[in-house]
Amino acid sequence: MSAAARLYRRSPLARTLFSFFTVALVFLIFADLEIATVDPWDEFGRLLTGIVTPDFFATENLISALVNTLAFAFLGVAFGVGFGFLLALGFHSRAVRTFCVVVRAVHELFWALIFLQLFGLSPLTGILAIGIPYAGIVAKVFAEILEEADGRAVDAAPSGASRLSTLLFVRLPDVWSHFRTYALYRLECGLRSSAVLGFVGLPTLGFHLETAFRQGRYSEVSALLILFYVIIASQRLWARRQLVPVYLIGAALVLPWATHISGANITRFLTIDIVPFPLRNGDGISGLIDWLWLLISTQALPGSIATIQLTMIALVATGFLSALMFPFISPQMFGRPVRGISHFALVVIRSTPEYILAFVFLQLWGPSMLPAIVALALHNGAIIGHLIGRHTETLALRADAPTGLNRYAYELLPRVYRNLLALLFYRWEVIMRETAILGILGIATLGFYVDSAFAELRFDRAIFLIALTAVLNIAIDVTSRRVRAYLRLRTTLEGR
Amino acid sequence: MHILDLAGVPAGYVGRPVLQDIHLRIETGERIAIVGESGAGKTTLLRLIREHCTAPTAIIPQDLGLVQALSVFHNVYMGQLHNRSTLHNLRTLFWPAVRDVDAVRSVLTPLRLPDEIFSAVRRLSGGQQQRTAVARALFNDAPVLIGDEPVSAVDDHQAREVLSLASTQKETVIVALHDRALALSFADRIIGLKDGKVALDTLTAGLQPGDLDGLYKS
């Protein structure tokens, strides 16, 4: 046996990575990566010109778009964190845990598409679209924080104390700062989600971004994005505890509540529209089977295959890209100037939602998997690259450690690759959720069929397909947890 | 021929003892042991020597500086990274050449580690890890070896073995040791530090462990 073969014979990690890599490669061979636009670089040139010449006065919509984006984010995240906190307290119940798994397996945009049918363009649509899935995520993380908290204080509490007293006096004080940090992080995610909700018609940033993009007004695109980055980058300055009530009341005041919500509409949607057509029509079980077969063979199956295909390619691409990105912000590799520029680039890339990145690349290259792969890998690669790069700041290398590429390959990568993989597998489910949603942009993943079903008012199909995305997400979540446990990969709170 | 000539260089590092007024000249071929209480400035002096040494050095830091996730082979191979092309080094990470494996094994054999060559370092005992760090420094072709307590985690017999191995393979050896008897038996010159100053700098011939007591009693 050769030396190398012996090196890897015993390594489950190397074998696992090799399988992932092979799967992605096979999928890549069958992927449609064609650039369909006639002059992609020409358009790119115009976009770049627009980016460097932002026009902050192109439209008075700019301010209202930002205000609405903030307002939906505040109320949605507040709902999600509050509801999630309550759910976390009941996390020992199986029903609560299942509820959380299901609500967070459905993407915000799918929730928005559903709530649009129920509440129309009422602010409730946006708030719940963010708040419901966030509640599921927040509940899980808060419950984990509570679980990891020091149990000794609880043991020391008087045995007769009520559960609420124990919670308030003993358990919460210790974990409160973790909760606050995580809520702040959720607010950042909420801003991105809120911006993206514009793409399905809510009056946030995405709405104006899409319009400006379609009309080629790139200076306006640039202004919208720059203001968005400024808001996210300055979050630490304005996100203050004392100001929370001001923001929440302000947000509630600026949103247009006047929209009429029809109770009959809601009832109709929940009791008739989403019931599979053959059942509604009295076609019985055989009718239902035909309906299912047609839906599965023409939409669910091809959609699922494309979703998994894109997810696997994007996952592996994200891994490579994050390994490529982190050295540029690592003090072990580069001096201040390079690191400064790289930090800036990573902040911009990871602040831009995948959906918006994919939208931009789609405009440039036309509909294929390429824009989606690049968008997913860039965004997630920048997030992981940032965390790993920061992690290398804590490494102490020996005084005569090698330099350059040798240092990267022998000293840095071997020390951080397990953390990198832990984060990567942790984001597997996130990538899957986003992949499904990118279908709305015209890539043939499940989101594409969901969006078409909504457009054709076939809500029974839409709900079935959304449920399918949820099942896929849960399956990936379980698989990812198994893989991480098998490879003994651990993520820290910061990585969630 | 000397490899180091310090004349009154001050040395102070944040959080480490400050050395004062160091006058030190080291010739090629010397076997030097640096002794003194912990906190006397041994590590700082070694760092100073490394920085001013005119010949290439291979070091064994106190914390070893091993990459836990890599195999013993790769950690030892790192001693020669600077002599191979980067392309060859990258290839070696995934597909080591038989020639390199044999070369590394021949360094590991006298250190009693040949069977662990493909074990990840994190699975080794403290003593094995320390010998891996020694192997890395020996695999490095630099003529000067600088070690900071390089044998603190191995037993007395092995410690003597390791130090004599180092002496046969390196032109000049400079090590910090806390074991006074070991220092006297290995070195031909002793440098004793006390409160950041060179309190003793003499040939070991005829010296007894008790003669070093002055360095330790305050």
Side-chain angles (χ1 to χ4, degrees):
Chain A
M1 194 184 292
S2 83
R6 230 176 308 166
L7 257 179
Y8 294 109
R9 186 189 51 186
R10 283 175 297 187
S11 163
L13 185 71
R15 282 202 308 262
T16 310
L17 294 189
F18 184 74
S19 349
F20 272 84
F21 186 72
T22 315
V23 169
L25 201 65
V26 171
F27 275 140
L28 191 66
I29 293 169
F30 292 104
D32 169 21
L33 301 174
E34 196 186 358
I35 293 182
T37 42
V38 189
D39 263 326
W41 298 114
D42 210 36
E43 199 61 32
F44 190 61
R46 274 200 289 282
L47 174 65
L48 279 189
T49 317
I51 293 288
V52 294
T53 56
D55 182 356
F56 294 94
F57 303 101
T59 155
E60 66 273 25
N61 293 334
L62 204 73
I63 296 302
S64 80
L66 284 172
V67 169
N68 282 332
T69 306
L70 279 165
F72 278 117
F74 282 136
L75 293 175
V77 172
F79 179 89
V81 171
F83 189 25
F85 173 69
L86 293 179
L87 289 171
L89 297 181
F91 219 65
H92 47 85
S93 140
R94 195 179 182 83
V96 170
R97 283 202 305 275
T98 313
F99 173 79
C100 291
V101 166
V102 172
V103 294
R104 72 168 179 266
V106 176
H107 193 280
E108 298 98 82
L109 274 187
F110 288 148
W111 280 117
L113 289 172
I114 294 173
F115 289 132
L116 271 172
Q117 310 307 321
L118 296 176
F119 311 123
L121 280 173
S122 157
L124 212 51
T125 298
I127 296 168
L128 291 181
I130 296 174
I132 296 280
Y134 277 30
I137 301 168
V138 167
K140 180 185 165 208
V141 173
F142 278 13
E144 282 170 10
I145 293 173
L146 276 173
E147 194 162 304
E148 285 166 24
D150 190 356
R152 282 172 300 184
V154 178
D155 296 338
S159 53
S162 74
R163 283 185 54 170
L164 187 63
S165 316
T166 318
L167 180 75
L168 290 179
F169 281 86
V170 184
R171 295 175 73 200
L172 281 189
D174 271 345
V175 296
W176 196 247
S177 66
H178 292 296
F179 281 6
R180 227 172 38 212
T181 311
Y182 189 72
L184 210 61
Y185 165 69
R186 269 293 129 194
L187 181 60
E188 189 190 323
C189 302
L191 284 167
R192 287 198 290 266
S193 299
S194 173
V196 168
L197 286 182
F199 283 85
V200 295
L202 290 162
T204 63
L205 199 90
F207 183 79
H208 299 282
L209 206 59
E210 184 171 20
T211 318
F213 229 106
R214 296 227 189 275
Q215 298 171 356
R217 288 181 277 130
Y218 294 136
S219 296
E220 196 182 321
V221 169
S222 170
L224 281 166
L225 286 177
I226 288 175
L227 286 178
F228 183 60
Y229 297 141
V230 168
I231 287 179
I232 289 191
S234 61
Q235 198 191 349
R236 276 171 202 283
L237 297 179
W238 54 259
R240 304 205 165 270
R241 207 174 0 162
Q242 310 89 309
L243 292 175
V244 168
V246 180
Y247 291 142
L248 291 181
I249 295 169
L253 288 177
V254 297
L255 289 177
W257 291 95
T259 333
H260 173 67
I261 296 177
S262 148
N265 220 354
I266 296 173
T267 318
R268 186 186 144 78
F269 181 81
L270 291 179
T271 57
I272 302 172
D273 287 351
I274 63 171
V275 176
F277 180 74
L279 292 184
R280 240 183 295 157
N281 217 20
D283 292 347
I285 294 299
S286 71
L288 182 67
I289 290 174
D290 290 346
W291 179 84
L292 265 181
W293 172 244
L294 194 70
L295 185 56
I296 289 174
S297 61
T298 61
Q299 304 195 355
L301 200 60
S304 302
I305 292 174
T307 304
I308 294 169
Q309 177 184 16
L310 183 52
T311 301
M312 294 310 292
I313 299 173
L315 179 75
V316 172
T318 299
F320 277 108
L321 211 56
S322 44
L324 209 64
M325 284 174 169
F326 85 79
F328 287 94
I329 62 161
S330 167
Q332 315 281 6
M333 291 297 293
F334 287 101
R336 272 184 188 281
V338 173
R339 265 166 31 224
I341 295 168
S342 311
H343 264 300
F344 179 75
L346 287 192
V347 166
V348 168
I349 300 174
R350 71 169 192 272
S351 301
T352 318
E354 294 102 317
Y355 196 85
I356 291 179
L357 281 176
F359 177 78
V360 171
F361 293 129
L362 251 155
Q363 303 305 310
L364 298 175
W365 301 330
S368 77
M369 283 207 172
L370 188 64
I373 296 171
V374 174
L376 288 165
L378 270 179
H379 178 79
N380 292 293
I383 290 175
I384 299 176
H386 166 75
L387 291 171
I388 296 296
R390 294 299 298 269
H391 175 63
T392 62
E393 290 170 9
T394 62
L395 299 179
L397 304 187
R398 69 197 148 94
D400 62 346
T403 55
L405 209 49
N406 285 331
R407 172 181 290 228
Y408 173 72
Y410 276 81
E411 294 280 354
L412 287 189
L413 206 51
R415 288 179 206 262
V416 302
Y417 76 94
R418 290 184 69 85
N419 307 51
L420 194 151
L421 290 172
L423 292 170
L424 183 63
F425 283 121
Y426 195 84
R427 290 202 80 78
W428 193 5
E429 190 223 344
V430 180
I431 292 174
M432 169 74 105
R433 272 160 49 88
E434 290 296 330
T435 303
I437 214 73
L438 291 181
I440 299 180
L441 290 171
I443 301 152
T445 60
L446 280 168
F448 174 76
Y449 299 102
V450 173
D451 195 38
S452 316
F454 271 115
E456 296 164 10
L457 304 179
R458 294 178 195 272
F459 301 126
D460 48 350
R461 288 190 186 180
I463 295 297
F464 178 87
L465 292 169
I466 288 179
L468 182 59
T469 67
V471 170
L472 281 182
N473 283 335
I474 292 169
I476 291 289
D477 194 25
V478 172
T479 316
S480 148
R481 219 172 316 136
R482 293 236 171 109
V483 171
R484 277 179 287 149
Y486 172 60
L487 300 176
R488 296 200 190 87
L489 299 171
R490 280 186 65 85
T491 35
T492 55
L493 183 64
E494 203 191 353
R496 288 170 194 152
Chain B
M1 206 182 76
H2 67 269
I3 54 165
L4 183 88
D5 194 4
L6 294 179
V9 183
Y13 300 98
V14 182
R16 289 183 197 182
V18 179
L19 294 180
Q20 295 154 13
D21 199 28
I22 296 294
H23 290 263
L24 191 62
R25 190 182 160 96
I26 297 178
E27 307 288 335
T28 304
E30 286 196 282
R31 308 265 172 269
I32 300 176
I34 298 171
V35 294
E37 284 184 312
S38 49
K42 291 180 297 224
T43 300
T44 310
L45 180 60
L46 286 177
R47 181 163 165 170
L48 195 68
I49 292 172
R50 191 181 100 79
E51 282 169 2
H52 290 85
C53 185
T54 53
T57 57
I59 65 167
I60 306 166
Q62 202 160 18
D63 61 7
L64 307 182
L66 296 171
V67 180
Q68 299 286 325
L70 287 181
S71 66
V72 170
F73 165 79
H74 283 117
N75 272 284
V76 175
Y77 175 83
M78 269 193 250
Q80 284 282 358
L81 281 179
H82 58 293
N83 285 335
R84 310 282 213 270
S85 76
T86 302
L87 200 65
H88 181 82
N89 291 337
L90 292 184
R91 177 218 134 140
T92 302
L93 265 183
F94 300 98
W95 206 259
V98 175
R99 190 166 47 91
D100 288 327
V101 175
D102 290 344
V104 166
R105 188 178 281 120
S106 70
V107 175
L108 290 174
T109 305
L111 289 166
R112 306 184 190 194
L113 275 175
D115 297 335
E116 275 74 31
I117 184 164
F118 290 123
S119 307
V121 163
R122 65 163 174 271
R123 300 195 195 289
L124 302 184
S125 70
Q128 287 173 321
Q129 294 204 6
Q130 194 166 49
R131 279 178 280 147
T132 304
V134 172
R136 182 186 61 207
L138 295 184
F139 192 57
N140 191 331
D141 61 349
V144 180
L145 177 73
I146 297 179
D148 196 349
E149 301 283 0
V151 288
S152 59
V154 299
D155 64 47
D156 198 43
H157 174 69
Q158 272 190 15
R160 281 164 209 278
E161 226 176 48
V162 168
L163 286 177
S164 78
L165 189 69
S167 301
T168 56
Q169 296 194 7
K170 296 288 181 190
E171 267 177 33
T172 311
V173 180
I174 305 154
V175 288
L177 294 172
H178 67 270
D179 183 331
R180 283 171 260 177
L182 186 65
L184 288 176
S185 74
F186 149 77
D188 50 34
R189 176 179 169 191
I190 292 267
I191 295 174
L193 289 180
K194 191 174 183 185
D195 303 332
K197 286 184 188 138
V198 175
L200 176 84
D201 185 352
T202 174
L203 297 179
T204 47
L207 232 55
Q208 296 298 318
D211 297 338
L212 302 176
D213 282 352
L215 296 169
Y216 293 87
K217 287 174 190 158
S218 52

